[in-house]
mmCIF file of all heavy atoms in Angstrom:
data_model
loop_
_atom_site.group_PDB
_atom_site.id
_atom_site.type_symbol
_atom_site.label_atom_id
_atom_site.label_comp_id
_atom_site.label_asym_id
_atom_site.label_seq_id
_atom_site.Cartn_x
_atom_site.Cartn_y
_atom_site.Cartn_z
ATOM 1 N N ASN A 62 -2.422 6.266 -33.555
ATOM 2 C CA ASN A 62 -2.916 6.798 -34.789
ATOM 3 C C ASN A 62 -1.666 7.247 -35.662
ATOM 4 O O ASN A 62 -1.574 7.068 -36.917
ATOM 5 C CB ASN A 62 -3.879 7.933 -34.617
ATOM 6 C CG ASN A 62 -5.138 7.441 -33.991
ATOM 7 O OD1 ASN A 62 -5.380 6.223 -33.985
ATOM 8 N ND2 ASN A 62 -5.949 8.258 -33.489
ATOM 9 N N ALA A 82 -12.426 -22.651 -29.182
ATOM 10 C CA ALA A 82 -11.768 -22.805 -30.513
ATOM 11 C C ALA A 82 -10.249 -22.619 -30.261
ATOM 12 O O ALA A 82 -9.418 -23.257 -30.890
ATOM 13 C CB ALA A 82 -12.244 -21.801 -31.469
ATOM 14 N N ARG A 119 -10.311 -12.738 -39.653
ATOM 15 C CA ARG A 119 -10.650 -13.806 -40.508
ATOM 16 C C ARG A 119 -11.950 -13.601 -41.453
ATOM 17 O O ARG A 119 -11.939 -13.958 -42.558
ATOM 18 C CB ARG A 119 -11.030 -15.104 -39.628
ATOM 19 C CG ARG A 119 -11.391 -16.405 -40.373
ATOM 20 C CD ARG A 119 -11.845 -17.409 -39.415
ATOM 21 N NE ARG A 119 -12.979 -17.064 -38.775
ATOM 22 C CZ ARG A 119 -13.447 -17.779 -37.661
ATOM 23 N NH1 ARG A 119 -12.808 -18.771 -37.133
ATOM 24 N NH2 ARG A 119 -14.624 -17.459 -37.066
ATOM 25 N N LYS A 158 -4.760 -0.830 -23.690
ATOM 26 C CA LYS A 158 -4.703 -0.711 -25.029
ATOM 27 C C LYS A 158 -4.160 -1.939 -25.664
ATOM 28 O O LYS A 158 -3.072 -2.375 -25.119
ATOM 29 C CB LYS A 158 -3.836 0.513 -25.404
ATOM 30 C CG LYS A 158 -3.746 0.854 -26.851
ATOM 31 C CD LYS A 158 -2.764 -0.034 -27.662
ATOM 32 C CE LYS A 158 -1.434 0.165 -27.234
ATOM 33 N NZ LYS A 158 -0.405 -0.799 -28.021
ATOM 34 N N GLU A 179 8.471 1.641 -31.440
ATOM 35 C CA GLU A 179 8.771 3.066 -31.394
ATOM 36 C C GLU A 179 7.640 3.941 -30.815
ATOM 37 O O GLU A 179 7.868 4.808 -29.939
ATOM 38 C CB GLU A 179 9.222 3.590 -32.755
ATOM 39 C CG GLU A 179 10.587 3.173 -33.184
ATOM 40 C CD GLU A 179 10.827 3.440 -34.648
ATOM 41 O OE1 GLU A 179 10.083 4.196 -35.359
ATOM 42 O OE2 GLU A 179 11.784 2.874 -35.114
ATOM 43 N N GLY A 203 1.675 -17.097 -25.634
ATOM 44 C CA GLY A 203 2.740 -17.597 -26.501
ATOM 45 C C GLY A 203 3.508 -16.471 -27.196
ATOM 46 O O GLY A 203 3.347 -15.425 -26.698
ATOM 47 N N LEU A 239 24.029 -19.010 -17.273
ATOM 48 C CA LEU A 239 25.088 -19.662 -18.015
ATOM 49 C C LEU A 239 25.479 -20.931 -17.267
ATOM 50 O O LEU A 239 25.377 -20.935 -16.029
ATOM 51 C CB LEU A 239 26.433 -18.797 -18.213
ATOM 52 C CG LEU A 239 26.268 -17.594 -19.071
ATOM 53 C CD1 LEU A 239 27.573 -16.770 -18.938
ATOM 54 C CD2 LEU A 239 26.091 -17.953 -20.537
ATOM 55 N N PRO A 281 24.027 -26.226 1.102
ATOM 56 C CA PRO A 281 22.914 -26.431 0.145
ATOM 57 C C PRO A 281 23.481 -26.569 -1.317
ATOM 58 O O PRO A 281 22.804 -27.182 -2.211
ATOM 59 C CB PRO A 281 22.085 -25.120 0.267
ATOM 60 C CG PRO A 281 22.585 -24.397 1.491
ATOM 61 C CD PRO A 281 23.916 -25.005 1.920
ATOM 62 N N GLU A 323 1.892 -28.715 -14.220
ATOM 63 C CA GLU A 323 1.362 -28.496 -12.784
ATOM 64 C C GLU A 323 2.212 -29.290 -11.923
ATOM 65 O O GLU A 323 2.667 -30.444 -12.200
ATOM 66 C CB GLU A 323 -0.050 -29.026 -12.712
ATOM 67 C CG GLU A 323 -0.993 -28.368 -13.796
ATOM 68 C CD GLU A 323 -1.639 -27.154 -13.276
ATOM 69 O OE1 GLU A 323 -1.347 -26.775 -12.104
ATOM 70 O OE2 GLU A 323 -2.459 -26.496 -13.891
ATOM 71 N N GLY A 418 4.101 -1.907 -20.494
ATOM 72 C CA GLY A 418 3.772 -2.311 -21.958
ATOM 73 C C GLY A 418 4.525 -3.581 -22.131
ATOM 74 O O GLY A 418 5.365 -4.012 -21.397
ATOM 75 N N GLY A 440 -1.894 -17.237 -55.221
ATOM 76 C CA GLY A 440 -3.089 -17.888 -55.109
ATOM 77 C C GLY A 440 -3.150 -18.984 -53.979
ATOM 78 O O GLY A 440 -4.007 -19.813 -53.906
ATOM 79 N N GLY A 453 -0.922 -1.156 -20.323
ATOM 80 C CA GLY A 453 -1.829 -0.938 -19.267
ATOM 81 C C GLY A 453 -2.114 0.470 -19.083
ATOM 82 O O GLY A 453 -1.368 1.235 -18.500
ATOM 83 N N ILE A 457 -0.674 3.021 -16.120
ATOM 84 C CA ILE A 457 0.177 4.181 -16.327
ATOM 85 C C ILE A 457 -0.140 5.266 -15.310
ATOM 86 O O ILE A 457 0.782 5.904 -14.794
ATOM 87 C CB ILE A 457 0.065 4.644 -17.804
ATOM 88 C CG1 ILE A 457 0.612 3.829 -18.710
ATOM 89 C CG2 ILE A 457 0.763 6.119 -17.895
ATOM 90 C CD1 ILE A 457 0.514 4.151 -20.277
ATOM 91 N N VAL A 520 -5.072 25.256 3.727
ATOM 92 C CA VAL A 520 -5.808 24.233 3.158
ATOM 93 C C VAL A 520 -5.808 24.206 1.666
ATOM 94 O O VAL A 520 -5.597 23.078 1.039
ATOM 95 C CB VAL A 520 -7.332 24.214 3.727
ATOM 96 C CG1 VAL A 520 -8.151 23.193 3.038
ATOM 97 C CG2 VAL A 520 -7.356 24.123 5.168
ATOM 98 N N ALA A 555 9.905 26.352 -8.068
ATOM 99 C CA ALA A 555 10.272 27.776 -8.508
ATOM 100 C C ALA A 555 9.130 28.725 -8.357
ATOM 101 O O ALA A 555 7.961 28.234 -8.422
ATOM 102 C CB ALA A 555 10.604 27.583 -9.974
#
Side-chain angles (χ1 to χ4, degrees):
N62 293 346
R119 179 185 66 193
K158 182 281 297 178
E179 283 167 15
L239 292 172
E323 305 270 359
I457 290 178
V520 172

